[in-house]
């Protein structure tokens, strides 16, 4: 399988060289760059934000490592300070002793008593020589340690500043990611609102029904207004019924048929 892929790749490269000539590599590189840009453009923004957030989180190991280094340097600086304090106190004591022995030798005495013991001039000179040599060595050592302490304090200050800057930048990146995340949510909400289609058919049906009811009520009001409501009033508009005169009606009936015939009893 690998052999087939290798052969296919070589064949494709040979074909590209045949078609494009010397520009084949340039075409291939440009095509790869364009394809990579196209793929990146298709990656969701939310995914990219999550990826950036993971990149920021990857700073934590470096932060912890820096804090550990600073803690070690702090301990070393404190220990070196205490060591220098002890050595400086010892040097002060030795300096007093050296000056005292020097003063005693200048007196011209041949014997000297220290802490209940007697020493000859030669013994005092020998002790003074040893003390003085040790003092100079200690002095050089203190000078070197002072320089070392200054360098360590400077490095500690630099590392603290670097750590503070790293923490500040990490916090700034986190805030920036929160801002981007909020912006993505806002844009997503706007897209959702813009694509939202409101179904107003039910609303229109309700409006139509209310309008129909309104029209029917208007018609009922109009009919009542035209007819009027006269119930309960005196019916002066009705004509009084005339009393029927039966005798007159009989006379009128028979007068039409001729003279009246009187029937004798």
């Amino acid at each position: 399988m690998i052999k087939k892929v290798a052969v296919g790749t070589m064949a494709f490269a040979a074909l590209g060289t045949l078609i494009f000539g010397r520009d084949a590599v340039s075409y291939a590189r440009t095509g790869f760059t364009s394809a990579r840009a196209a793929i990146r453009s298709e990656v969701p923004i939310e995914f990219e934000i999550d990826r950036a957030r993971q990149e920021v989180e990857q700073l934590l190991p470096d932060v912890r490592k820096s804090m550990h280094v600073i803690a070690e340097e702090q301990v070393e600086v404190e220990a070196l300070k205490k060591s220098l304090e002890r050595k400086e106190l010892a040097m002060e004591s030795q300096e007093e002793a050296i000056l005292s022995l020097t003063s005693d030798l200048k007196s011209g005495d041949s014997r000297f008593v220290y802490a209940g013991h007697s020493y000859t001039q030669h013994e005092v000179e020998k002790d003074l020589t040893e003390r003085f040599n040790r003092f100079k060595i200690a002095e050089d050592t203190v000078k070197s340690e002072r320089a070392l302490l200054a360098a360590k304090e400077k490095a500690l200050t630099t590392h603290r500043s670097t750590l503070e800057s790293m923490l500040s930048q990490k916090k700034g990146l986190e805030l920036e990611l929160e801002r981007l995340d909020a912006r993505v949510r806002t844009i997503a909400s706007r897209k959702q609102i813009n694509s939202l289609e409101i179904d107003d058919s039910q609303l229109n049906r309700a409006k139509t029904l209310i309008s129909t009811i309104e029209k029917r009520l208007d018609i009922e009001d109009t009919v009542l207004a035209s007819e009027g409501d006269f119930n309960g009033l005196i019916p002066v508009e009705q004509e009084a019924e005339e009393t029927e005169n039966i005798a007159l009606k009989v006379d009128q009936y028979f007068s039409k048929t001729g003279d009246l015939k009187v029937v004798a009893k």
Side-chain angles (χ1 to χ4, degrees):
M1 181 65 182
I2 298 176
K3 184 177 180 180
K4 291 181 179 180
V5 173
V7 172
T9 303
M10 293 175 63
F12 179 77
L15 180 60
T17 304
L18 180 62
I19 295 174
F20 299 107
R22 296 179 179 177
D23 296 331
V25 177
S26 177
Y27 276 107
R29 183 167 55 249
T30 303
F32 176 75
T33 303
S34 299
R36 183 173 57 183
I39 292 173
R40 285 183 176 178
S41 64
E42 294 298 327
V43 177
I45 297 179
E46 294 82 358
F47 179 82
E48 293 286 28
I49 291 177
D50 290 338
R51 192 165 69 91
R53 186 175 286 111
Q54 291 180 5
E55 293 292 334
V56 173
E57 291 300 324
Q58 291 301 317
L59 295 173
L60 286 177
D62 292 335
V63 170
R64 293 192 182 98
K65 183 178 179 180
S66 298
M67 294 176 67
H68 184 72
V69 171
I70 290 173
E72 288 181 346
E73 291 179 345
Q74 181 66 42
V75 172
E76 291 178 0
V77 166
E78 293 299 326
L80 188 56
K81 283 183 177 180
K82 292 179 180 179
S83 175
L84 278 172
E85 289 177 358
R86 290 193 299 268
K87 289 179 179 180
E88 288 173 350
L89 288 175
M91 286 179 63
E92 290 178 2
S93 177
Q94 287 299 317
E95 183 178 358
E96 291 178 0
I98 290 171
L99 294 176
S100 177
L101 291 174
T102 302
S103 177
D104 290 344
L105 288 173
K106 288 180 179 180
S107 65
D109 295 337
S110 59
R111 300 195 65 85
F112 304 92
V113 178
Y114 300 103
H117 295 280
S118 177
Y119 299 92
T120 65
Q121 181 181 1
H122 176 71
E123 289 175 334
V124 173
E125 289 177 346
K126 182 179 179 181
D127 184 78
L128 179 59
T129 301
E130 183 67 21
R131 285 176 181 269
F132 185 59
N133 290 332
R134 291 183 181 182
F135 180 84
K136 289 189 293 183
I137 293 173
E139 190 176 36
D140 292 337
T141 302
V142 168
K143 288 181 179 180
S144 298
E145 290 186 358
R146 283 175 181 171
L148 179 61
L149 176 61
K152 284 184 173 295
E153 288 179 336
K154 183 178 180 180
L156 180 60
T157 302
T158 302
H159 290 162
R160 282 176 174 172
S161 178
T162 302
L163 178 61
E164 291 176 359
S165 177
M166 184 181 296
L167 291 174
S168 177
Q169 292 183 49
K170 180 178 179 295
K171 185 63 176 177
L173 291 174
E174 290 174 347
L175 293 175
E176 184 68 14
L177 286 172
E178 291 296 329
R179 186 186 68 80
L180 292 176
D181 195 30
R183 187 178 178 186
V184 168
R185 291 196 300 268
T186 301
I187 293 176
S189 299
R190 290 174 58 187
K191 287 182 178 179
Q192 184 178 5
I193 292 174
N194 292 337
S195 62
L196 182 63
E197 295 181 0
I198 300 176
D199 183 11
D200 58 352
S201 58
Q202 181 65 32
L203 180 62
N204 291 332
R205 285 196 296 271
K207 288 182 178 180
T208 301
L209 179 58
I210 292 174
S211 179
T212 302
I213 295 172
E214 188 74 23
K215 289 180 180 179
R216 290 184 62 183
L217 291 176
D218 290 342
I219 293 173
E220 293 291 338
D221 286 341
T222 303
V223 171
L224 290 175
S226 63
E227 290 181 353
D229 187 4
F230 301 106
N231 294 329
L233 302 179
I234 298 176
V236 296
E237 296 83 356
Q238 299 181 2
E239 296 182 357
E241 296 182 356
E242 297 180 355
T243 304
E244 183 178 10
N245 190 342
I246 187 61
L248 180 60
K249 292 181 69 176
V250 171
D251 288 341
Q252 290 177 348
Y253 177 78
F254 285 105
S255 65
K256 294 179 179 179
T257 58
D259 296 334
L260 293 173
K261 295 179 178 181
V262 179
V263 179
K265 295 181 179 180

